[in-house]
């Protein structure tokens, strides 16, 4: 029974209305958690609660709201029911042999509930990928330290680490690495032993990028796959394979690092987590109208930060412009609008897809 009420033969309730009810004889009550003994005969009804097993002979449950018990044990039924109404049948939820979750499915709370209902106590899953996160550069100082002239706090490590958490990974903060070949190579080698993915931001000072590349290339089984990508912001991005483990070298500018993580880091995390298909951006997408004209970046795919603004029945996307070295435009934004490669720009009032942070 999927409702509290009375187990009946549906035919006995045919034509019942408040003005012309049908009358049945109450002959029993279904015990919870047990198979009922006895049978519902013609013109009879049994009390039953949600989750109770239907007695033999019954094929429907009439809800208690549409009944009235008389003092002499007679049941007044004021509404008809169809066979199978308010009843769950074996195999209705899950059929025998049915595939519940193909490989690569991310299990949600409702999925775990179904597995529990079926008595599946253990399942094979991919573990959450461990991600080594560190910043490189002689100009970087810890966030609790007051920067001297020419130095900046290590904001990127915390920005990136939380993007890793949102993407389902476990960040392992490795600290700040100076622009020193031996130190860079040692930290990279150590990270390879404890992480499934390495994220390094910075290394953009004069000569430091070449130093970072050399430290990567000198590791065993290292291969630089990409050095520079056609996106804005985020052009100075490095992709490498080091002994079968991926490395993503992020730009030092915070907005650039955040965009590269959204565009390249997220799909990489999903693949490492065993997801069969790429899921939508972390916050999903919405459709909005662009509030101003936007010029595209020549030869690059352009990711523009936008703020969403509802105005009556229209959702507007207001571009939030600013250098990629600033964090405040990113903070004031709620998502990204993409100007595809080869497109000169987007025009005001054009409907665009916003990738929500």
């Amino acid at each position: 029974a999927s409702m509290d009420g009375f187990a009946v033969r549906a035919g006995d309730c045919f034509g019942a209305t408040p003005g012309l009810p049908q009358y049945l004889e109450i002959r029993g009550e279904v015990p919870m958690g047990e198979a009922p003994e006895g049978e519902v005969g013609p013109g009879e009804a049994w009390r039953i609660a949600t989750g109770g097993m239907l007695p033999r002979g019954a094929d429907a449950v009439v809800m208690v709201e549409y009944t009235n018990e008389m003092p002499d044990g007679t049941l007044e039924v004021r509404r008809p029911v169809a066979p199978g109404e308010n009843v769950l049948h074996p195999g209705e939820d899950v059929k025998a042999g049915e595939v519940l979750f193909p490989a690569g499915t991310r299990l949600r709370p409702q999925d775990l509930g179904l597995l529990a209902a079926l008595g599946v106590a253990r399942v094979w899953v991919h573990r959450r990928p461990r991600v080594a996160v560190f910043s490189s550069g002689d100009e970087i100082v810890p966030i609790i330290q007051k920067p001297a002239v020419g130095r900046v706090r290590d904001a990127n490590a915390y920005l990136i680490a939380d993007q890793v958490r949102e993407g389902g990974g476990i960040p392992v903060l490795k600290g700040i690495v100076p622009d020193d070949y031996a130190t860079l190579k040692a930290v990279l080698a150590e990270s390879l032993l404890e992480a499934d993915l390495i994220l390094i931001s910075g290394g953009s000072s004069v000569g430091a990028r070449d130093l970072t590349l050399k430290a990567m290339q000198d590791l065993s089984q290292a291969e630089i796959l990409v050095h520079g990508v056609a996106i804005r912001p985020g052009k100075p991005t490095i992709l490498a394979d080091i002994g079968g483990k991926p490395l993503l070298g992020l730009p030092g500018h915070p907005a650039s690092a955040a965009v590269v993580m959204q565009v390249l880091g997220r799909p990489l995390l999903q693949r490492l987590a065993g997801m069969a298909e790429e899921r939508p951006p972390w916050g999903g997408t919405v459709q909005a109208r662009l509030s101003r004209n936007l010029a595209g970046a020549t030869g690059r795919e352009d990711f523009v930060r936008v703020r969403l603004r509802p105005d009556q029945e229209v959702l507007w996307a207001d571009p939030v412009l600013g250098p990629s070295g600033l964090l405040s435009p990113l903070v004031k934004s709620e998502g990204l609008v993409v100007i595809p490669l080869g497109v000169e720009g987007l025009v005001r009032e054009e409907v665009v897809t916003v990738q929500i942070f």
Side-chain angles (χ1 to χ4, degrees):
S2 61
M3 294 286 179
D4 293 340
F6 292 86
V8 298
R9 294 173 180 244
D12 291 338
C13 303
F14 179 76
T17 65
L20 190 63
Q22 295 285 4
Y23 293 93
L24 306 177
E25 186 179 356
I26 301 173
R27 294 299 300 270
E29 183 169 347
V30 175
M32 288 300 293
E34 298 179 20
E37 296 181 0
E39 182 175 344
V40 176
E44 296 179 352
W46 283 39
R47 295 185 191 88
I48 192 167
T50 302
M53 182 176 177
L54 255 66
R56 293 188 309 275
D59 60 3
V61 172
V62 59
M63 293 170 60
V64 68
E65 293 91 330
Y66 303 117
T67 64
N68 182 38
E69 287 192 53
M70 313 295 278
D72 62 356
T74 300
L75 180 70
E76 182 183 78
V77 180
R78 301 189 299 271
R79 182 185 180 278
V81 288
E85 189 170 342
N86 301 321
V87 172
L88 298 177
H89 297 277
E92 187 175 341
D93 201 7
V94 177
K95 294 179 174 59
E98 180 181 347
V99 176
L100 297 179
F101 308 111
T105 300
R106 183 174 182 175
L107 296 177
R108 303 163 298 170
Q110 57 266 44
D111 302 334
L112 297 180
L114 179 57
L115 290 171
L118 296 172
V120 180
R122 296 174 67 85
V123 291
W124 285 101
V125 297
H126 282 261
R127 62 179 173 81
R128 294 171 63 194
R130 291 176 59 84
V131 182
V133 178
F134 64 93
S135 305
S136 70
D138 291 334
E139 76 280 14
I140 310 296
V141 299
I143 62 170
I144 59 173
Q145 182 177 323
K146 183 177 179 179
V149 175
R151 304 226 170 179
V152 293
R153 293 188 179 95
D154 186 17
N156 280 14
Y158 296 89
L159 168 63
I160 294 163
D162 213 45
Q163 286 184 294
V164 168
R165 289 189 192 94
E166 283 187 338
I170 301 172
V172 181
L173 291 170
K174 302 293 291 181
I176 301 166
V177 181
D179 292 326
D180 175 77
Y181 169 79
T183 307
L184 271 168
K185 186 177 179 182
V187 173
L188 285 169
E190 180 184 285
S191 299
L192 286 169
L193 297 175
E194 59 183 79
D196 306 296
L197 167 65
I198 300 170
L199 298 177
I200 175 173
S201 73
S204 58
S205 59
V206 178
R209 189 175 298 139
D210 293 336
L211 195 67
T212 305
L213 279 171
K214 180 170 173 52
M216 294 177 190
Q217 290 171 323
D218 288 352
L219 291 167
S220 175
Q221 298 179 293
E223 180 183 4
I224 304 299
L225 305 175
V226 172
H227 186 194
V229 292
I231 64 174
R232 184 179 75 172
K235 182 182 177 181
T237 295
I238 299 170
L239 290 166
D241 175 1
I242 305 178
K245 290 189 177 181
L247 180 147
L248 185 56
L250 304 168
H253 286 165
S256 299
V259 168
V260 172
M261 274 299 296
Q262 180 92 345
V263 176
L264 301 177
R266 175 181 55 84
L268 189 52
L269 271 172
Q270 291 180 350
R271 180 60 59 89
L272 290 172
M275 295 183 193
E277 298 180 1
E278 184 178 334
R279 295 170 65 86
W282 290 330
T285 61
V286 297
Q287 301 294 305
R289 289 189 181 275
L290 199 60
S291 65
R292 54 163 288 176
N293 295 339
L294 280 176
T298 304
R300 283 185 277 176
E301 195 170 36
D302 202 359
F303 292 83
V304 181
R305 292 152 288 181
V306 296
R307 179 194 298 114
L308 295 173
R309 172 175 52 88
D311 185 5
Q312 296 181 354
E313 296 183 359
V314 178
L315 183 64
W316 292 95
D318 298 328
V320 183
L321 305 178
S324 59
L326 301 182
L327 272 167
S328 58
L330 198 63
V331 171
K332 294 172 183 175
S333 306
E334 291 163 303
L336 298 171
V337 168
V338 182
I339 304 177
L341 185 70
V343 175
E344 291 185 1
L346 304 174
V347 298
R348 185 181 184 276
E349 294 194 358
E350 184 173 345
V351 176
V352 293
T353 299
V354 181
Q355 298 182 8
I356 303 298
F357 291 135

